[in-house]
Each structure stands twice: as C-alpha cells, then as structure tokens.
Amino acid sequence: MGQVTLLGLGNILLSDEGVGVWAVREVARRFRLPAAVEVVDGGTAGLDLLPYVEDREHLLVVDAVQFQREPGFVGWLEGEEVLAGGGAQASLHHLGLREVLGAARLLDRAPREVLLLGVQPHSLATGVGLSPCLQARLPAVVAEIISRLTAWGYPPLGPAEPGG
C-alpha cells in the first residue's frame, strides 16, 4: 500500500471524459515511481475505490471537470473544494469521489491531503481516445502531476523501463 495514491477517473469510452485515466496511464508508462506511489486507473468505479483512498498521506485525483473555461484548461481543487466542487461543475464522477471521501472520513481513515487536478474537456462524444485538443494538453497535465508528486517528496526515480 502506497502513501500516495495517484487516481485517474473517467470513462475512456466518452473521449475527453477519460482524461484522468489517460493521464495516469501516461505517467505510469513514462516514469518509474517510488514504491510509495500507487497509480490507480479508477475509471468509473465509485465506492470500490475506498481501499485506494483510506489512510493515504496524499490523494491526487485527475479527472475531467467542467470549469466553464476553454477546452484544455487545467485547474486545481483542494481539500473541501474537492468535496464541494469548488465553483466548478462536478465531473460525472464527482459524486462517487465525494462518497468515497465521505466514507473514508466516517471511518476516520481519510487521506491527510486531497488534491484534484481537473481538465476542462473539449468533447464528451462517444469514442475511445482524447480529442486532439486534450491530446495536445496531455504532456502539460503529466507535468503538473509530476510536479505535485515531486513537491510531496515523491519524485520519479527515472524513466520507465522499456516494455515495463
């Protein structure tokens, strides 16, 4: 069990709605991370994610969020903003995330710090893969993730092993 969970949320069958999943997969594909960092493709799992949230030092969630900004906009929500939606319209998974965090609190096992890296989607059309707009923004999203992990004291150990 890691001290940090990097949790990607989203439905990869609805183009940019799956940006959280695509982003954490890209981090895992490109970087060798410390053992304390657990990368989780949470998809649309909801309460099944509780074991990946409980007792963590840090929880970094990546998801599509309706910030009402230009497509590809990247913004952070933290702490209670994650539970409240922070003025941004919640993603399709926000309710599930809120329930998971609420359950962890009831069990007195909530993560110490919760951050949500939200990305404004361009397209929510049916289809696998990101829109060209968000595909172009993916390196910036990955850089934000790596920057946050580094700030928490968990920088990548190097590039991922080829084929690993």
Side-chain angles (χ1 to χ4, degrees):
M1 175 188 321
Q3 295 295 312
V4 177
T5 297
L6 172 59
L7 176 60
L9 295 179
N11 184 341
I12 62 169
L13 300 177
L14 295 175
S15 55
D16 294 346
E17 221 287 311
V19 67
V21 171
W22 294 115
V24 302
R25 286 181 180 177
E26 185 66 10
V27 168
R29 186 186 73 78
R30 291 181 46 203
F31 300 98
R32 195 164 40 95
L33 298 172
V37 178
E38 185 173 20
V39 179
V40 178
D41 173 348
T44 58
L47 278 175
D48 291 337
L49 297 172
L50 187 59
Y52 301 103
V53 170
E54 292 177 313
D55 299 322
R56 296 305 196 272
E57 192 69 17
H58 305 283
L59 173 63
L60 175 52
V61 180
V62 185
D63 197 3
V65 172
Q66 293 289 354
F67 286 108
Q68 306 305 320
R69 302 282 305 260
E70 70 280 4
F73 172 82
V74 176
W76 289 96
L77 301 176
E78 58 185 292
E80 294 300 317
E81 287 181 310
V82 175
L83 294 172
Q89 282 194 342
S91 74
L92 294 176
H93 321 287
H94 204 90
L95 186 58
L97 176 61
R98 190 172 23 214
E99 290 171 337
V100 168
L101 293 172
R105 275 187 175 178
L106 285 173
L107 297 169
D108 199 25
R109 301 181 75 171
R112 186 179 65 79
E113 185 175 9
V114 179
L115 289 176
L116 189 150
L117 178 60
V119 183
Q120 175 72 46
H122 176 72
S123 171
L124 299 176
T126 302
V128 177
L130 296 171
S131 68
C133 173
L134 260 58
Q135 188 64 44
R137 294 289 294 153
L138 196 58
V141 173
V142 169
E144 289 280 341
I145 293 168
I146 295 303
S147 175
R148 179 55 58 178
L149 292 175
T150 300
W152 282 339
Y154 302 97
L157 303 174
E161 300 294 325

